């Protein structure tokens, strides 16, 4: 047993959750995992999830397990991705929630939802980005590689959450800092995203910031829908995008 547990610990990235599926692939079934718990090598994090005895696990190490061991299509997005990509100087973070994005029908395992992470974690499921492949990328976070929204996608995700889950003022503030977005990725998102509100808000904020990459977009290929979208009642009308928003 000693050699197997030693080999297991060598393969186990520090600070991450080990799911039973991951353990099974390494020849450790539930009964053997329970023996390791009784022997003091492992601790249960919940049903089907374990951590090294004495180790501290936070949401990053848990999301890593979701992505790499359970192959769940979830990723940090929105304001959380902005933070992870180093734009914290523009944010007022505090203990704000971690926002994960996933496809419709995605569910987090019970052990993940039941655990008290250092910050609350919320899963947003939506299909509006289904046609926008390659708008996430691997990012080193706390010693592991997480799949995280690119800056282009995270700007769209923030606009998607306005106004119920994300303030437009903060989203506009972040847009001002995004001076180096890749026009081809923005174009892909504008053409693939199916949320009219999201696309209009993105363009409204980007044009307010007067970014140079706007000149390289082809808006003739983008479907902006019809009819007015009121984000803030009593706000100002942007006639170009038929959008009513409060001044940020």
């Amino acid at each position: 047993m000693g050699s197997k547990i030693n080999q297991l610990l060598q393969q186990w990235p520090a600070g991450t959750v080990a799911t039973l599926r991951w353990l099974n692939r390494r020849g450790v079934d539930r009964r053997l995992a329970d023996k390791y718990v009784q022997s003091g090598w492992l601790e249960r994090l919940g049903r089907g999830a374990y951590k090294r005895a004495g180790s501290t696990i936070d949401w990053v190490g848990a999301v890593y397990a979701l992505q790499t061991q359970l192959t769940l299509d979830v990723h940090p997005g929105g304001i959380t991705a902005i933070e992870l990509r180093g734009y914290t100087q523009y944010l007022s973070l505090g203990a704000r929630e971690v926002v994960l994005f996933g496809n419709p029908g995605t569910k987090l395992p019970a052990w993940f939802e039941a655990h008290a992470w250092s910050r609350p974690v919320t899963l947003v499921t939506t299909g509006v980005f289904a046609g926008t492949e390659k708008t996430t990328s691997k990012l080193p976070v706390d010693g592991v590689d997480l799949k995280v929204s690119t800056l282009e996608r995270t700007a769209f995700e923030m606009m998607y959450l306005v106004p119920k889950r994300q303030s437009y003022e903060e989203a506009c503030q972040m847009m001002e800092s995004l001076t180096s977005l890749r026009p081809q990725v923005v174009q892909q998102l504008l053409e693939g995203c199916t949320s009219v509100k999201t696309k209009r808000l993105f363009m409204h904020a980007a044009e307010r910031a007067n970014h140079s990459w706007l000149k390289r977009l082809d808006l003739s290929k983008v479907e902006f829908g019809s009819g007015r979208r009121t984000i803030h009642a009593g706000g100002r009308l942007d006639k170009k995008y038929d959008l009513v928003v409060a001044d940020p």
Side-chain angles (χ1 to χ4, degrees):
M1 186 170 84
S3 61
K4 178 169 281 192
I5 186 62
N6 289 334
Q7 187 178 28
L8 180 69
L9 295 177
Q10 289 173 3
Q11 297 173 346
W12 189 336
T16 64
V17 174
T19 63
L20 190 59
R21 183 184 299 182
W22 184 83
L23 292 173
N24 287 167
R25 289 199 296 263
R26 282 152 184 80
V28 178
D29 59 15
R30 187 183 297 276
R31 292 180 62 184
L32 183 54
D34 288 343
K35 287 184 179 180
Y36 289 157
V37 170
Q38 294 168 5
S39 301
W41 289 103
L42 307 183
E43 296 176 15
R44 286 190 191 86
L45 199 69
R47 182 175 176 81
Y50 301 82
K51 67 172 187 171
R52 298 189 198 206
S55 66
T56 300
I57 303 291
D58 206 358
W59 68 269
V60 170
V63 171
Y64 173 82
L66 299 182
Q67 292 182 347
T68 63
Q69 300 177 23
L70 301 183
T71 61
L72 285 182
D73 191 12
V74 298
H75 64 269
I79 200 69
T80 304
I82 289 283
E83 174 192 352
L84 293 176
R85 292 190 178 277
Y87 284 71
T88 52
Q89 68 267 35
Y90 300 101
L91 303 176
S92 174
L93 289 173
R96 69 187 304 159
E97 68 180 2
V98 171
V99 180
L100 302 180
F101 275 79
N103 292 325
T106 301
K107 293 184 178 180
L108 300 176
W111 61 261
F112 187 101
E113 293 194 312
H115 192 75
W117 308 111
S118 64
R119 291 157 58 180
V121 179
T122 298
L123 174 65
V124 176
T125 57
T126 178
V128 303
F129 301 108
T132 56
E133 293 79 12
K134 298 182 180 178
T135 52
T136 60
S137 63
K138 291 289 185 66
L139 183 72
V141 182
D142 294 347
V144 296
D145 287 340
L146 286 189
K147 183 174 71 171
V148 178
S149 290
T150 61
L151 285 176
E152 293 85 7
R153 174 161 174 153
T154 201
F156 276 79
E157 289 171 338
M158 290 180 72
M159 297 304 174
Y160 175 76
L161 295 178
V162 170
K164 294 182 179 180
R165 303 285 297 275
Q166 170 67 58
S167 80
Y168 186 53
E169 180 181 7
E170 183 177 56
C172 283
Q173 185 180 11
M174 284 311 312
M175 181 63 80
E176 290 175 2
S177 71
L178 300 179
T179 58
S180 58
L181 294 190
R182 295 164 295 174
Q184 68 273 23
V185 181
V186 173
Q187 184 76 36
Q188 179 190 1
L189 284 157
L190 283 169
E191 292 182 31
C193 177
T194 59
S195 168
V196 166
K197 177 206 77 170
T198 298
K199 292 185 284 190
R200 291 189 195 179
L201 280 173
F202 176 90
M203 288 304 303
H204 174 78
E207 290 181 4
R208 278 181 55 95
N210 195 29
H211 287 310
S212 60
W213 46 261
L214 283 167
K215 292 179 286 189
R216 297 173 60 189
L217 300 179
D218 184 356
L219 297 186
S220 69
K221 297 180 178 180
V222 181
E223 176 56 60
F224 285 107
S226 60
R228 183 161 299 171
R229 298 298 192 273
T230 300
I231 308 303
H232 304 113
R236 182 174 302 188
L237 173 64
D238 176 346
K239 293 182 179 179
K240 180 176 181 181
Y241 295 107
D242 206 5
L243 190 66
V244 179
V245 291
D247 288 331

